[in-house]
Amino acid sequence: MISAEDKDNIIKCAEKYNVSSIILFGSSVVKDKESNDIDIGVKGIEPRLFFPFYTELFRVLSNTLQIKHRQQKNC
């Protein structure tokens, strides 16, 4: 399971880059199981900010990161 410190770092970084939604999934959400990586989905981040956001998370998290960028569709 993901640590409280990693959760806090994800939230702080998401706020900094104005991410509208974060979804944690995969082995990171299974209680009492050590995860191999941190899987998150993000929505609502400007495309030009995606790689700076990813890079900052990569540097501060205690585990490797896999991130899915879910673009918002216009109706």
Side-chain angles (χ1 to χ4, degrees):
M1 184 154 208
I2 188 172
S3 71
E5 182 178 359
D6 281 340
K7 283 182 192 176
D8 288 344
N9 284 329
I10 291 169
I11 291 167
K12 287 176 189 174
C13 197
E15 289 172 347
K16 177 179 177 180
Y17 288 94
N18 297 315
V19 174
S20 63
S21 175
I22 303 170
I23 300 166
L24 182 65
F25 63 95
S27 61
S28 305
V29 296
V30 179
K31 192 173 184 175
D32 299 327
K33 181 179 180 189
E34 189 173 328
S35 58
N36 296 331
D37 60 3
I38 298 171
D39 300 302
I40 62 170
V42 296
K43 196 173 190 179
I45 187 169
E46 291 183 47
R48 67 181 179 84
L49 297 177
F50 180 77
F51 286 106
F53 171 72
Y54 177 83
T55 301
E56 188 166 333
L57 279 178
F58 183 81
R59 290 180 180 159
V60 298
L61 295 178
S62 66
N63 213 335
T64 58
L65 175 67
Q66 291 194 9
I67 189 168
K68 305 269 186 202
H69 183 211
R70 307 291 295 181
Q71 292 183 336
Q72 292 178 319
K73 295 180 181 179
N74 295 332
C75 295

